[in-house]
Amino acid sequence: MKYSLLDLAPVTEEGTAATALHNAADIAQHAEKWGYSRFWMAEHHNMEGIASAATAVALGYVASKTEHIRVGSAGIMLPNHAPFVVAEQFGTLDALYPGRVDLGLGRAPGTDGATLRALRRSPNDAENFPRDVQELLGYLAEAQPADVIKAVPGYGQKIPVWLLGSSTFGAQLAAHLGLPYAFASHFAPDYLHHALKAYRDNFKPSQYLDKPHVAAAMNVFAADSETEARYMMSSMQQQFIALRRGMPGKLKAPVEDISRVGSPQEIAGANHALTYTAVGTKDTVSRHINQFIDDTGIDELILTCHGYDHDARLRSFEIASEVLNER
């Protein structure tokens, strides 16, 4: 069982994007000491609370501050980019940090319509996702003498490509192409088991994999007391409430009573999105994590902690690593 981290580089009310990116590197440095296999970051645009918009650049910084942990995207939103450019970007990362780079691809734009226009993209671009994935795989393959276009760096570097998803679409495409698959159950719990079944049932062995390989994500808010853990989670609850209100912004400081922030319906909606969340002390978190692994049968676990206080996030990941190392 490999276990990894997804960091959204949260920008807090009192913080800056620079602080968020420095914190990301610090978490990655600790993570490789604690036994985590991968450190992934995600592409979001026009969101004041997330600093990883230029994902390849952010990953390069993290890789420069670490020694052996794999770094990668979860994901690059392929409809926002030309596949050739993505191949060059991740080929460059792999050239600088060989054998340490993963390329996870998502179909969602990761932003709103106005920002899509600023990116010079169209909502219809997502319809080309299967074709774009195959084009990108071609650029990363061994080049042929007759090839007019070569991704340099990129071609022949055997960079692992993952497909990501929060529905069954990505699962079926990953199965068809014989690629590893990761499910975003940390915010989209409803289709987790459907997607895993679709992936496993339809998987076709390929040059990349001979059998299905699947990861799934969950939130972890671990602390030395239940009260501290719940307090830390309240920042994430507030972020979901703000998103539902159409008011995204920087990550808010935790509160002792979440009922003072949102209505019962809003809190219920946030808690539903956080269905797959391990919150509490080490014993409580251990039960949640082990139950999730047993129920899903995943090959890898991805943990994320979108908390406000940097030291509290470090402690959360440390406790989770103790649980997983004992498993």
Side-chain angles (χ1 to χ4, degrees), residues 43 56 73 75-93 101 103-105 132 136 139-140 151 153-154 159 161:
E43 175 187 347
S73 60
I76 291 295
M77 301 298 111
L78 193 54
N80 296 342
H81 308 279
F84 185 65
V85 173
V86 175
E88 290 178 326
Q89 289 177 345
F90 278 76
T92 301
L93 283 172
V101 176
L103 173 53
L105 303 172
D132 288 347
L136 176 53
Y139 291 134
L140 295 175
I159 300 166
V161 174

Side-chain angles (χ1 to χ4, degrees), residues 155-212:
Y155 80 86
Q157 291 175 224
K158 296 181 171 58
I159 300 166
V161 174
W162 291 66
L163 293 192
L164 317 173
S166 56
S167 68
T168 57
F169 180 91
Q172 291 170 337
L173 181 60
H176 175 73
L177 297 175
L179 294 173
Y181 177 65
F183 190 85
S185 34
H186 61 298
F187 72 87
D190 293 336
Y191 291 98
L192 170 63
H193 292 285
H194 296 291
L196 297 190
K197 187 175 189 304
Y199 175 65
R200 289 168 175 146
D201 288 353
N202 296 288
F203 183 84
K204 296 179 181 179
S206 69
Q207 61 181 302
Y208 311 108
L209 287 176
D210 58 1
K211 61 182 180 179

